[in-house]
Amino acid sequence: NAGVTQTPKFRVLKTGQSMTLLCAQDMNHEYMYWYRQDPGMGLRLIHYSVGEGTTAKGEVPDGYNVSRLKKQNFLLGLESAAPSQTSVYFCASKNAGPEETQYFGPGTRLLVL
Amino acid sequence: GENVEQHPSTLSVQEGDSAVIKCTYSDSASNYFPWYKQELGKRPQLIIDIRSNVGEKKDQRIAVTLNKTAKHFSLHITETQPEDSAVYFCAASNSGGSNYKLTFGKGTLLTVNP
């Protein structure tokens, strides 16, 4: 069981470039989440999904898009990267059920120049 | 939406002392309160959680208390050890409706000095 994995681990982009971050989980979890973590700001929810084919906006969705075509994968896209999107991105997943634990991936460090 | 405030932002203790981190929440409908620990360069991991029908929960050196009336909850670590050094996040959610989201506090950097 790999749990929650993220690809890539680290990426440098130039302003205006696009990229996709991949999150994969092998725990058959229904719910998946994308967070960004910035110093002193905690974990802020970007987008989330409550099932295959569904997505919803979180607290800070602007500049990002997501897709959940397969239950085990949740993709986060940046269409035109900005320096303000420099951050560490964490994916998480959880089982259905109101109080199930969220399991986090190892994170992706993104630097936008 | 929910707002979670966490204090202090940094906390330094001597090994063996106790550490207390406090959080307040705004949504009276919130009923699930997990705590996550994040070591440097690692992912956040759940260490303990509490439901709104419980006032206190313990797991070895870690305990969490909840005061629903005042809308605050706290993490208590006793007999701290250097390996307790990490960032701790509190969170809150309303698990009774269709809201499957956690709202996190901004974190507390705990340093345990040997």
Side-chain angles (χ1 to χ4, degrees):
Chain A
N1 251 0
V4 182
T5 58
Q6 292 182 231
T7 309
K9 288 186 172 58
F10 176 69
R11 184 77 183 269
V12 179
L13 286 180
K14 293 181 180 178
T15 297
Q17 287 185 319
S18 63
M19 77 164 295
T20 300
L21 283 68
L22 171 64
C23 175
Q25 51 93 6
D26 61 2
M27 298 176 281
N28 202 34
H29 285 169
E30 287 292 330
Y31 308 147
M32 297 187 74
Y33 307 83
W34 275 108
Y35 295 91
R36 60 177 290 173
Q37 184 175 35
D38 303 293
M41 298 298 292
L43 292 153
R44 293 184 292 169
L45 183 65
I46 304 171
H47 286 281
Y48 65 104
S49 168
V50 300
E52 181 180 318
T54 74
T55 62
K57 294 180 180 180
E59 181 185 352
V60 288
D62 293 343
Y64 306 94
N65 56 73
V66 289
S67 64
R68 183 109 182 262
L69 298 180
K70 294 183 178 180
K71 185 178 183 178
Q72 63 268 34
N73 295 338
F74 195 28
L75 278 62
L76 178 71
L78 286 74
E79 289 187 347
S80 179
S84 60
Q85 294 178 304
T86 293
S87 188
V88 179
Y89 292 86
F90 285 99
C91 174
S93 70
K94 68 183 278 294
N95 262 326
E99 295 158 4
E100 293 290 330
T101 302
Q102 280 194 26
Y103 294 90
F104 283 83
T108 294
R109 188 173 296 275
L110 177 65
L111 175 62
V112 183
L113 300 175
Chain B
E2 175 67 278
N3 183 48
V4 177
E5 299 281 342
Q6 183 172 347
H7 299 279
S9 56
T10 61
L11 179 60
S12 182
V13 300
Q14 290 299 122
E15 184 176 357
D17 287 350
S18 294
V20 180
I21 302 170
K22 299 182 179 181
C23 291
T24 60
Y25 60 98
S26 61
D27 187 353
S28 57
S30 289
N31 56 7
Y32 173 61
F33 308 94
W35 286 87
Y36 283 80
K37 175 184 180 182
Q38 185 180 27
E39 296 176 356
L40 185 63
K42 300 288 180 66
R43 72 191 77 189
Q45 292 189 297
L46 180 76
I47 55 170
I48 195 167
D49 57 16
I50 192 167
R51 277 72 172 172
S52 61
N53 59 346
V54 174
E56 182 176 359
K57 183 177 179 180
K58 279 187 178 182
D59 183 3
Q60 299 182 348
R61 297 185 297 108
I62 294 173
V64 58
T65 58
L66 171 65
N67 183 326
K68 282 191 66 179
T69 303
K71 290 192 284 188
H72 68 68
F73 56 113
S74 301
L75 178 70
H76 305 253
I77 306 174
T78 59
E79 300 172 22
T80 54
Q81 301 168 2
E83 52 264 38
D84 294 328
S85 295
V87 178
Y88 291 81
F89 293 99
C90 62
S93 77
N94 176 1
S95 60
S98 59
N99 183 347
Y100 306 107
K101 301 176 290 183
L102 289 176
T103 300
F104 286 87
K106 293 185 177 180
T108 296
L109 174 60
L110 173 64
T111 303
V112 180
N113 302 299

